[in-house]
Amino acid sequence: QEQLVESGGGSVQAGGSLRLSCAPSTYTVITSCMSWFRQSPGKEHERIALIDSDGGTTYADSVRGRFTISKDKNIMYLQMNSLKPEDTAMYYCAAGADCLRRYYLYPYRGQGTQVTVSP
């Protein structure tokens, strides 16, 4: 059962923007480190951004300068600007006590939200 809920996905044209949100569904979710992953068909989950307990952020090269991760209380956001067709993917959030590289190692995960960017 997913314990994080993503929202904000949709379809946009290249150059457009979207803002994703990720909220815990229960108060027991540990949100010391929260990360955004994305998965394209036939590919593994790619970690694209994380925010740690001190507010420090890390971005994948593929999104740095275009995406901004933030957190307000226990809700995490991903502001996505200058979207490209190659950003098309299912976007997932994950959370836990530690920042991990692999999606399935996070104890708390969401069901995903689809982002589609057309040329």
Side-chain angles (χ1 to χ4, degrees):
Q1 181 178 357
E2 289 81 11
Q3 293 173 296
L4 296 170
V5 180
E6 302 99 335
S7 60
S11 297
V12 296
Q13 291 188 322
S17 299
L18 285 172
R19 188 190 194 208
L20 306 184
S21 300
C22 170
S25 59
T26 72
Y27 69 92
T28 60
V29 174
I30 297 172
T31 58
S32 300
C33 183
M34 299 185 77
S35 297
W36 283 103
F37 288 80
R38 67 185 181 187
Q39 185 181 34
S40 302
K43 295 186 177 180
E44 295 189 356
H45 289 84
E46 173 193 15
R47 192 181 69 184
I48 57 173
L50 69 85
I51 185 165
D52 63 27
S53 56
D54 295 324
T57 58
T58 301
Y59 296 92
D61 290 343
S62 57
V63 306
R64 187 177 294 112
R66 300 186 299 121
F67 292 9
T68 303
I69 190 171
S70 61
K71 184 178 171 184
D72 183 8
K73 296 182 175 64
N74 285 339
I75 301 175
M76 178 175 64
Y77 302 94
L78 186 68
Q79 178 66 45
M80 305 187 296
N81 297 329
S82 302
L83 282 162
K84 305 175 181 179
E86 51 263 45
D87 293 319
T88 295
M90 186 71 80
Y91 284 69
Y92 299 87
C93 63
D98 302 302
C99 294
L100 305 170
R101 185 168 296 276
R102 292 190 176 273
Y103 173 71
Y104 287 107
L105 293 179
Y106 280 89
Y108 308 103
R109 302 186 296 271
Q111 81 290 349
T113 186
Q114 178 68 37
V115 171
T116 302
V117 184
S118 57

